[in-house]
Every structure is written in structure tokens, then in C-alpha cells.
Amino acid sequence: MVYLFIEVMEWVIRERPYRPKELDYSYLLEFTSKLHGISQAESLFSRIPSEFQNELLYNNLILGCLNRGLIRLSLAYMKKMRELGHPISYLVFNHLIILHSSPSRKKSIPKILTQMKADKVIPHVSTFNILLKIEANEHNIERLLKVFGDMKRAEVEPNEVSYCILATAHAVARLYTVCETYVEALEKSATGRNWSTLDILIILYGYLGKRNDLERIWGIIMELSHVRSKSYVLAIEAFGRIGDICRAEELWSEMKSRNSLKSNEQFNSLIAVYCRYGLITKATALYKEMEKSGCKPNAITYRHLALGCLRAGLIKEAIKTLQLGMDMAASIKVKRSTPWLETTLSIIDIFADNGDVENAEKLFEELKKANYTRYTFVYNTLIKAYVKGKVYDPNLLKRMILGGARPDSETYSLLKVVDQFRT
């Protein structure tokens, strides 16, 4: 359909049976850049009558450049827009921020925001949502709240996406009281029945242990014209989190009957629930069913199973299973995902209880790479390994502070015990 539109519009420009309007050129430029690349989009732009080479067309061309990651070219067109007196869209700045959101490029974001202000572009709620998400992904609650403060000072009204980010970040940080406040704001700001918001509410009520609210939101999801497999997966995990294994199994059977089981994510959802409570026999049976169905276990499957083995007291099997998963390739996205991080921390917690400093430290490095170690409770779990293992390390407090975590009363109590092992 898009190709047909481009062909028709190219014919209209060439043969001129009627005079194209601004929006015609805008759509044509957008589709050309997406399907044929920037060179052809630039060529098209040069052939568009000068009266239509306005802010809309320039902004579309720049967004096309940014979609291809051509930052320098987009900056050159932005400079041209300033010279012509055309206002630059906030969407352009949003895209620039996203392209600079990786840890190695993040330092450029303040400069982008300064330029945005200089160009008199008012930040949109989506601009702040992008900034909030960047800090949430970095597990930086302090910076997250600073961005939210900037949002309030700019008199930009938060929307349901804003509250989804804030509530989820606080849930992951185990700040449940604050999380609950944002969940209330989220429910009030929600517009219509947005499946993505409903999915996040499922996750959040799982964290908060609110079974009635979990059932209420699931009931709303079930009224949608189509219930996605992903929603089932999240609900299974949420009911598992609150300890309702029977309900999790019920939903899994329902998902199995409604949607054919095609992904390891579907199997992993119930395997994770079983392993959380050490039900390794049930988890292993599901693992075998997974293999028979043609779904291949992935790194997180083995990580869940390793946790299940540890919970069941099968230490040797756990370490063997853990190694199986570590030998498999896992993307950075997976290793930064909350299920991966929380499962890994649960494993570290058991190693800590056993005084296994070596294995605790090995996995702790993974959490450090994902900035999950900014949370005090994560560092306290590691220190507990030194306490149980009766191992002295004078650098634990220094490591913690330099890692961005704030020591609390539990930290100092644990360190006091560690100090007793000084030789």
C-alpha cells in the first residue's frame, strides 16, 4: 500500500494532473525516507516546490535522518532551519535524546536540552517520559525524581506513561509505599483501556501483593477483544509473585488452550513461579514439555532452574545448571531486564546464606554491569555472604559508596560483623 502511494505521488509530481498539497508532500517524504533511504528523500525534497519546503517538510526530513542514525546530517538540517527561521519540532529533540540514551553517549543529553531551550522548543510530556525512562533503566531513583521535579517546574502534566515509569521504578527499588502512591495516580490518569497500561498494572499489583486489584485488572484485560499472550505471561508471573501458585497454573492452562505455546517466554513464566518456591519437580516436568514442544530453553530458563535447584537444596545441580545458562548467549537487553536481575539476586541471596563468597561475587558483577547495585539491598545481600562466610574485606563500604548505593543501618550492622573476622 505504501509503495503504491509513493508511485502514485511520484506520478502526480511528474505529470501534474493536480496540484499536491503540503500533507501529500509530507507523507511522500516520510515514506520515501523509510523505504528508499535518505539519499532519495533528499533528492525528492530538492524537487518539491520551494513554497512547500517549510517547517513540516524539514522536520520530516530530519526525523528521517535520525531514524537512520544520521545525527550529523540531521544537525546540519537543523542549522538550516534556524537560518530560515523555521521552528524545530520537539519530536526531533526527543529522537536525539533517544539516540544519546546509551551510557557512553548520555553525557550529551544536557547539551541537547540546552539547545532545545535555546531554540525555544517547549518540552512535551513525551520528552520528560523519555528522560524518566532513561533514569529508570539506569536504576537511578535520585535522578529519576530530579527529572520529575523538572517536569513539575516546567508545568508539564504527567500522563499515564509517566506514572507507569515512576511506579515501576519504585517497585523494582522495593520502595513500595511510594510505588503505591504512583499506582493510585496511574489509575486516575489512565485513559480508556490501554493494554500496555493494564499490563503494567498487572506487574505493579504483583509487586504490591494486592490480589483483589490483580484480579480486577485481569478481569478488565479479559474483556478486551483480544488477550495477548504477553498479558497471560505477566499475569502468571504476578500471581506467582504473591504466592498464588494455583491461580498461576490456572492461567497457564488457559493460555495453553487459547494460544498455542510457541515461545520459551510462555514456558519460562510458569517455570519461574515454580522455581521461586523450590518446586523443582514441577519445573523440570515443564522444562521437558518445553523441549518436546520444539521451544528451545534460553539463558533465563536455566537461571530460573538454577534458583529452583538452590531453593530445593540441590547445590551441585544448581551450579551445573547455572553454568549451562552462562554458556549460552544472552543479549544486553535480557541481562538488564528485571526478571533476570531479580532471579540473579535471589541466587546470590542463597549463596550468601551459604557463605559462598566466590559464587556470590561472580554473579554480583552481572548486577553491577546493569547498575542494579545502586540499590542498598543488593549490596547488603553481598555483604551478607562475607558475614556468613566469615571473610574479612576492608573495601566493602568503599565499593558500595563508589557504586552509587547508600549504606543503611543494616549495612553498618553487617559490616560490624565482618570487621570481627579481621586477622
Side-chain angles (χ1 to χ4, degrees), residues 149-295:
D150 292 342
M151 190 177 187
K152 285 180 177 176
R153 280 186 288 278
E155 297 181 349
V156 175
E157 191 68 29
N159 60 11
E160 60 186 292
V161 176
S162 316
Y163 289 122
C164 280
I165 297 165
L166 288 160
T168 306
H170 282 83
V172 172
R174 298 187 182 180
L175 300 168
Y176 299 125
T177 306
V178 183
C179 170
E180 202 164 341
T181 304
Y182 288 127
V183 170
E184 286 171 13
L186 169 57
E187 290 253 33
K188 286 175 186 173
S189 66
T191 53
R193 293 186 171 188
N194 188 322
W195 60 260
S196 57
T197 299
L198 292 169
D199 279 354
I200 289 171
L201 282 168
I202 287 286
I203 296 168
L204 293 169
Y205 283 128
Y207 271 107
L208 296 172
K210 297 201 167 191
R211 195 188 192 287
N212 291 341
D213 286 308
L214 197 48
E215 285 286 9
R216 175 174 59 85
I217 299 299
W218 183 248
I220 295 169
I221 289 172
M222 289 300 289
E223 289 172 5
L224 298 175
S225 57
H226 172 68
V227 181
R228 301 177 317 129
S229 171
K230 180 69 177 176
S231 297
Y232 271 105
V233 165
L234 295 174
I236 290 162
E237 290 170 350
F239 278 105
R241 186 180 286 278
I242 65 172
D244 195 338
I245 298 168
C246 290
R247 187 71 174 110
E249 288 176 324
E250 205 176 279
L251 287 172
W252 198 83
S253 297
E254 198 178 302
M255 175 177 70
K256 190 177 178 180
S257 63
R258 286 176 65 132
N259 309 299
S260 56
L261 300 179
K262 296 175 183 176
S263 72
N264 46 30
E265 184 185 42
Q266 292 169 312
F267 283 96
N268 284 345
S269 63
L270 191 56
I271 287 173
V273 172
Y274 288 147
C275 292
R276 180 187 286 270
Y277 299 100
L279 303 172
I280 197 62
T281 305
K282 283 191 168 189
T284 305
L286 195 56
Y287 168 78
K288 287 174 181 175
E289 187 183 332
M290 182 183 191
E291 286 190 312
K292 281 180 186 175
S293 74
C295 288

Side-chain angles (χ1 to χ4, degrees), residues 28-40:
L28 179 59
L29 186 65
E30 182 185 342
F31 295 145
T32 301
S33 67
K34 283 180 180 176
L35 296 173
H36 300 301
I38 292 303
S39 294
Q40 284 201 40

Side-chain angles (χ1 to χ4, degrees), residues 3-240:
Y3 282 104
L4 181 61
F5 173 80
I6 291 174
E7 284 177 14
V8 169
M9 284 306 301
E10 285 281 12
W11 177 80
V12 168
I13 290 171
R14 191 170 57 252
E15 303 297 331
R16 301 191 180 185
Y18 76 91
R19 187 174 172 79
K21 295 178 182 177
E22 181 184 61
L23 276 176
D24 294 323
Y25 285 120
S26 174
Y27 287 130
L28 179 59
L29 186 65
E30 182 185 342
F31 295 145
T32 301
S33 67
K34 283 180 180 176
L35 296 173
H36 300 301
I38 292 303
S39 294
Q40 284 201 40
E42 286 181 304
S43 173
L44 169 66
F45 186 84
S46 66
R47 289 183 282 119
I48 292 171
S50 57
E51 64 190 280
F52 293 115
Q53 291 181 8
N54 55 16
E55 62 185 84
L56 179 63
L57 272 292
Y58 266 105
N59 278 307
N60 268 6
L61 185 58
I62 292 169
L63 287 169
C65 294
L66 292 172
N67 281 329
R68 299 270 176 170
L70 302 170
I71 295 173
R72 285 187 182 179
L73 186 58
S74 68
L75 293 175
Y77 279 119
M78 286 169 76
K79 185 181 177 183
K80 181 71 174 174
M81 283 186 78
R82 291 184 195 105
E83 290 168 1
L84 294 169
H86 294 323
I88 301 168
S89 169
Y90 71 85
L91 293 170
V92 167
F93 285 97
N94 283 3
H95 215 120
L96 274 171
I97 293 166
I98 291 167
L99 286 173
H100 289 85
S101 61
S102 64
S104 60
R105 303 175 101 179
K106 199 181 160 189
K107 288 179 182 177
S108 300
I109 292 176
K111 292 178 184 175
I112 295 168
L113 293 172
T114 301
Q115 186 60 59
M116 192 176 189
K117 192 176 180 181
D119 287 332
K120 297 179 182 176
V121 179
I122 299 168
H124 187 261
V125 62
S126 59
T127 312
F128 283 106
N129 287 344
I130 293 164
L131 296 170
L132 287 169
K133 187 63 178 165
I134 289 168
E135 301 305 340
N137 288 346
E138 291 290 311
H139 302 286
N140 196 330
I141 295 293
E142 197 176 316
R143 288 281 308 166
L144 178 83
L145 294 176
K146 184 189 177 300
V147 173
F148 190 50
D150 292 342
M151 190 177 187
K152 285 180 177 176
R153 280 186 288 278
E155 297 181 349
V156 175
E157 191 68 29
N159 60 11
E160 60 186 292
V161 176
S162 316
Y163 289 122
C164 280
I165 297 165
L166 288 160
T168 306
H170 282 83
V172 172
R174 298 187 182 180
L175 300 168
Y176 299 125
T177 306
V178 183
C179 170
E180 202 164 341
T181 304
Y182 288 127
V183 170
E184 286 171 13
L186 169 57
E187 290 253 33
K188 286 175 186 173
S189 66
T191 53
R193 293 186 171 188
N194 188 322
W195 60 260
S196 57
T197 299
L198 292 169
D199 279 354
I200 289 171
L201 282 168
I202 287 286
I203 296 168
L204 293 169
Y205 283 128
Y207 271 107
L208 296 172
K210 297 201 167 191
R211 195 188 192 287
N212 291 341
D213 286 308
L214 197 48
E215 285 286 9
R216 175 174 59 85
I217 299 299
W218 183 248
I220 295 169
I221 289 172
M222 289 300 289
E223 289 172 5
L224 298 175
S225 57
H226 172 68
V227 181
R228 301 177 317 129
S229 171
K230 180 69 177 176
S231 297
Y232 271 105
V233 165
L234 295 174
I236 290 162
E237 290 170 350
F239 278 105

